[in-house]
Amino acid sequence: MYMLNGILSGKSQESVLLFILVRERGYGREIAEFFDLPVSQVQKQLIKLEDAGILVSKRIGKTLCFEFSPRYAFIVPLKELLKAVLKAYPEQLRSQLVMNRCRPRKSTKPIEYLRKRQTG
């Protein structure tokens, strides 16, 4: 499903923006696997959107994560447009997109804030 034909450069760009809108951040492989797109295509769009100033990236460990740039002049209207597009997507896809599963924490792994208190 591709709603912004003619406005965005392609389905992968729309997918990237919708993913980041809903989950607030994302990285290439995660977005590509969710939408069943080639990773190279998604990474190309992430770089293109970052070069345009729409997204910013930051390293979290070895992973380069992207999120919306708060400095982008049209961030509010862009997010509103994406929210309207998201409403037109099938309910099943929307609910899967909102559901962000993470592996449960290992019971022996210390909680980060407790570890900081003990060392600080």
Side-chain angles (χ1 to χ4, degrees), residues 53-69:
I54 298 168
L55 300 179
V56 292
S57 64
K58 63 174 133 178
R59 251 188 218 288
I60 299 177
K62 293 182 179 182
T63 305
L64 190 60
C65 289
F66 292 83
E67 58 189 39
F68 283 108
S69 171

Side-chain angles (χ1 to χ4, degrees), residues 11-12 36 39 41 45 49 56 58 82 92 94 106-107 110 117:
K11 181 182 179 198
S12 59
D36 196 28
V39 176
Q41 194 175 26
Q45 293 304 325
L49 290 165
V56 292
K58 63 174 133 178
L82 290 170
Q92 182 182 4
R94 282 186 287 159
K106 212 176 189 182
S107 62
R117 276 192 203 159

Side-chain angles (χ1 to χ4, degrees), residues 12-51:
S12 59
Q13 199 170 65
E14 181 177 310
S15 300
V16 164
L17 291 171
L18 286 173
F19 190 93
I20 293 174
L21 174 75
V22 173
R23 297 206 180 166
E24 296 179 4
R25 74 167 52 137
Y27 58 93
R29 182 172 307 279
E30 174 185 37
I31 298 168
E33 287 175 359
F34 182 84
F35 287 104
D36 196 28
L37 296 168
V39 176
S40 61
Q41 194 175 26
V42 171
Q43 288 174 333
K44 207 179 287 184
Q45 293 304 325
L46 287 166
I47 298 303
K48 193 175 186 179
L49 290 165
E50 184 177 34
D51 288 346

